[in-house]
């Protein structure tokens, strides 16, 4: 069975609803992707660090309930998960506010078990991480991780990188630029967006942004609904179906990544995989919160260019 490791951080999520009332859940970009991958039938482990507190226990049990593997979750006495609040505008756009500076996940690459965790990455078929993942760690920790990814690729393991960029995580923008250059040189699959890359590399045409990435397989999500897929040097434009009602854009990119990667692991072509990504993301943004109810998952989540669908 194909196996995937998703690396990153899960935080306590407080989402603001009507009248300013806050609802507690949990979320984090790569964790959201891990959950959606598992719901789409992919065997996935989450790689992170948590505390030994009740909130961390709750997260681990919830992930197990979603069939996300927890064997690579380090537990640290005296630490807590990070926390963030989402404020959503009437148009469905969200703003994030974080309390995460001392979160357990930031210590993942500085633990006695770190070497074993990094060595285990080579046992997976695919490793998925994001720009937010890389913003968590110290420069030495990031280098250890990138070195481990490079070593894993010497076997049959592939690396998928989502450019997910949050300026709050990078006090020095030049540092972010260099880290992104380093990881882009390692990634086999890059899931990017114009919104992520423009603050890093300036406003450019999509072709110039794609050309910055040496990966064989690149998906660039555009400002307008749709994306451009480059595979083996050939580019294809992919148009997303319009969404009638946007409630909350949280996890739109995370669910896109899950459906895209699940489709590719299932042998679908990149363009068909991108259509699947847009389809699932379109469903997710019609619901509030990062992880939609299981009952809201589409029964048909992939669509080929010819309009054919497959039951999940």
């Amino acid at each position: 069975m194909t196996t995937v490791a998703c690396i990153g951080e899960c935080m306590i999520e407080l989402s603001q609803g009507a009248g300013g009332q806050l609802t507690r859940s949990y979320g984090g970009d790569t964790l959201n992707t891990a959950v959606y991958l598992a719901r789409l039938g992919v065997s996935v482990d989450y790689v992170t660090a948590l505390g030994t507190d009740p909130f961390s226990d709750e997260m681990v049990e919830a992930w197990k309930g979603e069939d996300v593997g927890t064997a690579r979750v380090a537990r640290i006495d005296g630490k807590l998960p990070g926390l963030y609040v989402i404020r959503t505008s009437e148009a469905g756009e969200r703003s994030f506010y974080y309390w995460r500076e001392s979160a357990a996940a930031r210590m993942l690459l500085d633990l006695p078990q770190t070497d074993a965790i990094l060595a285990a990455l080579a046992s997976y078929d695919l490793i998925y991480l994001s720009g937010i993942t890389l913003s968590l760690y110290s420069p030495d920790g990031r280098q250890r991780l990138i070195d481990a990814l490079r070593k894993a690729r010497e076997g049959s393991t592939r690396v998928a990188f989502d450019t997910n960029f949050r300026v709050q995580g990078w006090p020095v923008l030049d540092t972010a630029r260099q880290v992104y250059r380093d990881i882009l040189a390692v990634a086999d699959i890059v899931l990017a967006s114009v919104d992520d890359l423009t603050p890093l590399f300036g406003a450019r045409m999509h072709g110039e942004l794609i050309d910055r990435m040496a990966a064989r397989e690149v998906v660039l999500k555009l400002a307008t609904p749709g994306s451009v897929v480059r595979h083996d040097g050939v580019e294809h434009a992919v148009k997303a179906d319009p969404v009638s009602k946007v409630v909350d854009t949280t996890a739109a990119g995370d669910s896109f990544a899950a459906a895209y990667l699940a489709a590719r692991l299932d042998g679908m072509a990149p363009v068909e995989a991108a259509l699947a990504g847009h389809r699932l993301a379109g469903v997710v943004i019609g619901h509030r919160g990062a992880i939609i109810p299981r009952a809201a998952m589409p029964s048909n989540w992939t669509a080929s260019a010819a309009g054919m669908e497959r039951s999940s």
Side-chain angles (χ1 to χ4, degrees):
M1 176 182 289
T2 301
T3 56
V4 177
C6 293
I7 309 173
E9 177 184 26
C10 181
M11 292 173 284
I12 299 168
E13 175 189 286
L14 299 179
S15 182
Q16 188 172 36
Q21 185 175 4
L22 295 174
T23 302
R24 181 171 65 85
S25 183
Y26 62 87
D29 63 336
T30 57
L31 184 278
N32 301 335
T33 298
V35 169
Y36 287 118
L37 279 169
R39 289 184 178 184
L40 298 176
V42 176
S43 177
V44 57
D45 286 345
Y46 198 55
V47 183
T48 192
L50 288 173
T52 54
D53 57 283
F55 297 109
S56 295
D57 291 342
E58 181 181 298
M59 287 182 186
V60 170
E61 291 307 310
W63 303 347
K64 290 178 180 177
E66 290 283 0
D67 294 322
V68 174
T70 60
R72 310 294 182 198
V73 178
R75 306 296 295 270
I76 308 172
D77 289 335
K79 302 299 289 185
L80 293 167
L83 174 124
Y84 69 106
V85 176
I86 303 173
R87 293 192 61 169
T88 307
S89 71
E90 292 182 1
E93 291 300 321
R94 76 278 196 223
S95 300
F96 294 87
Y97 301 87
Y98 296 97
W99 293 262
R100 68 195 303 195
E101 290 306 313
S102 60
R106 291 180 173 270
M107 298 180 64
L108 178 67
L109 300 180
D110 301 297
L111 300 173
Q113 59 267 53
T114 295
D115 287 342
I117 291 172
L118 292 178
L121 294 178
S123 67
Y124 292 90
D125 298 291
L126 181 71
I127 302 165
Y128 173 79
L129 73 162
S130 73
I132 293 178
T133 303
L134 294 172
S135 74
L136 298 173
Y137 312 127
S138 67
D140 287 345
R142 281 194 293 262
Q143 191 57 55
R144 291 180 73 186
L145 176 56
I146 291 173
D147 288 344
L149 296 176
R150 190 176 292 112
K151 185 172 180 60
R153 291 180 72 239
E154 293 174 359
S156 58
T157 303
R158 292 183 294 164
V159 174
F161 175 65
D162 193 316
T163 59
N164 209 354
F165 176 75
R166 296 288 183 272
V167 68
Q168 304 98 316
W170 300 96
V172 180
L173 199 56
D174 281 344
T175 299
R177 293 187 180 106
Q178 186 56 57
V179 171
Y180 271 65
R181 292 186 190 103
D182 292 343
I183 190 65
L184 289 171
V186 174
D188 299 283
I189 302 170
V190 176
L191 301 170
S193 78
V194 170
D195 288 344
D196 291 336
L197 297 181
T198 296
L200 286 169
F201 302 119
R204 292 178 170 85
M205 298 296 290
H206 74 261
E208 294 180 63
L209 293 173
I210 285 182
D211 287 344
R212 284 184 168 273
M213 294 168 275
R216 177 186 174 195
E217 187 169 339
V218 177
V219 181
L220 181 67
K221 286 165 284 181
L222 305 176
T224 55
S227 57
V228 175
V229 177
R230 186 188 71 194
H231 185 249
D232 287 340
V234 179
E235 289 188 14
H236 302 274
V238 179
K239 185 177 180 181
D241 291 333
V243 177
S244 58
K245 184 179 180 181
V246 176
V247 174
D248 184 353
T249 58
T250 304
D254 310 333
S255 56
F256 177 97
Y260 182 88
L261 294 173
R264 291 291 288 133
L265 292 169
D266 199 37
M268 296 183 70
V271 169
E272 294 175 323
L275 286 168
H278 287 301
R279 178 175 172 80
L280 181 58
V283 173
V284 168
I285 64 176
H287 297 78
R288 192 170 298 281
I291 299 172
I292 65 174
R294 189 180 283 270
M297 291 289 291
S299 59
N300 297 299
W301 61 277
T302 62
S304 74
M308 298 176 65
E309 296 181 346
R310 188 192 71 179
S311 175
S312 53

